[in-house]
Amino acid sequence: MPTPRIALVTGGSRGIGRAVAELLAAAGHTVAVNYVSNEDAANVVVAAIEAAGGTAIAAQGDVGDEAAVAALVKRVQEALGPIEILVNNAGITNDDLLMRMKSDAWDSVIQTNLKSVYLCSKAVMRGMLRGRWGRIISISSVAGVYGNAGQANYSAAKAGIIGFTKALAKEVGSRGITVNAIAPGFIATDMTQALGDDVVNAAAQQIALGRLGSPEEVASAVGYLASDDASYITGQTIVVDGGLTI
């Protein structure tokens, strides 16, 4: 059995974040399910984890806000103990062509998708350094690898996560802390389903496996990177896209 750890999953109330929270709990870890506003959804995830025999709490906090992150991490650590696994999953989109993109659309996406990774990673780092063990896993995107038209803000944020991951991995590797990223492709979530069947079907035709991925398939990669089996992997970006970017 793996050593039980304390995990924080940002944006853990739905989609990929929910799948990650449930998988980590199933592996024996205690999970803090972070959410911003949808308390009911977070409580549903906690209830599902508990029904399966796991341990979890819901933890409110805007991970793009420095004071909110400090308060969030403090609450989780007081309730559960030092955070040993951090999954930076929280993210939003606010798409537009650059010539039409407003500054607030740029700023909001950078703050939620990239600044949150900096804030949360920094907030948990002291405990990881003290314990000489840690896993920081951030959800990037294939958009951060090859770019998406109409998503200059999102692509920049997700590419920034990859650079951040490499730099931090070099800083903390000697202390037993690994830092990695996962770049999902087209994953079947509420966000993608809202695009409509025509868009989803067209996207599936561009994927080597001929279908969208599931949140659970992304979560499996997170679970591996969080495990002792991945102790010699750091600074890497694992692409989970069904062959979209081949």
Side-chain angles (χ1 to χ4, degrees):
M1 286 291 293
T3 302
R5 306 285 184 178
I6 307 301
L8 170 61
V9 180
T10 71
S13 65
R14 62 189 179 94
I16 292 171
R18 174 175 181 165
V20 168
E22 292 181 346
L23 183 142
L24 291 176
H29 306 302
T30 298
V31 182
V33 179
N34 163 254
Y35 68 98
V36 178
S37 58
N38 197 337
E39 182 178 7
D40 289 343
N43 286 334
V44 167
V45 178
V46 171
I49 288 172
E50 292 176 341
T55 304
I57 63 169
Q60 193 278 335
D62 178 356
V63 292
D65 178 85
E66 187 167 6
V69 168
L72 166 66
V73 170
K74 182 180 180 181
R75 287 197 309 273
V76 172
Q77 294 189 149
E78 286 177 348
L80 304 177
I83 295 166
E84 299 161 294
I85 299 170
L86 170 65
V87 182
N88 290 306
N89 168 74
I92 61 170
T93 57
N94 198 336
D95 300 346
D96 211 340
L97 295 174
L98 183 65
M99 291 300 294
R100 295 201 297 258
M101 186 177 291
K102 304 297 184 184
S103 291
D104 60 351
W106 175 272
D107 291 343
S108 63
V109 170
I110 296 297
Q111 180 169 331
T112 299
N113 295 29
L114 180 58
K115 186 177 181 180
S116 64
V117 174
Y118 152 72
L119 291 174
C120 292
S121 300
K122 185 177 180 181
V124 304
M125 186 55 60
R126 191 176 304 277
M128 290 184 178
L129 290 171
R130 190 177 296 122
R132 301 188 68 86
W133 194 96
R135 297 285 188 268
I136 296 177
I137 303 156
S138 301
I139 306 301
S140 178
S141 169
V142 292
V145 178
Y146 73 94
N148 269 344
Q151 287 192 318
N153 50 2
Y154 185 78
S155 297
K158 294 301 188 178
I161 288 173
I162 293 172
F164 175 92
T165 293
K166 293 177 179 180
L168 184 57
K170 291 183 176 181
E171 291 185 20
V172 301
S174 64
R175 303 300 290 271
I177 302 166
T178 67
V179 189
N180 291 289
I182 292 174
F186 224 108
I187 307 299
T189 64
D190 293 344
M191 188 180 298
T192 55
Q193 294 305 318
L195 298 174
D197 290 343
D198 289 344
V199 173
V200 171
N201 292 336
Q205 293 177 16
Q206 305 302 313
I207 300 169
L209 293 182
R211 63 174 178 83
L212 273 60
S214 71
E216 290 75 19
E217 287 172 314
V218 179
S220 292
V222 175
Y224 172 64
L225 290 175
S227 73
D228 290 331
D229 290 338
S231 58
Y232 202 58
I233 299 174
T234 196
Q236 303 304 308
T237 300
I238 296 178
V239 177
V240 183
D241 72 348
L244 174 65
T245 55
I246 294 173

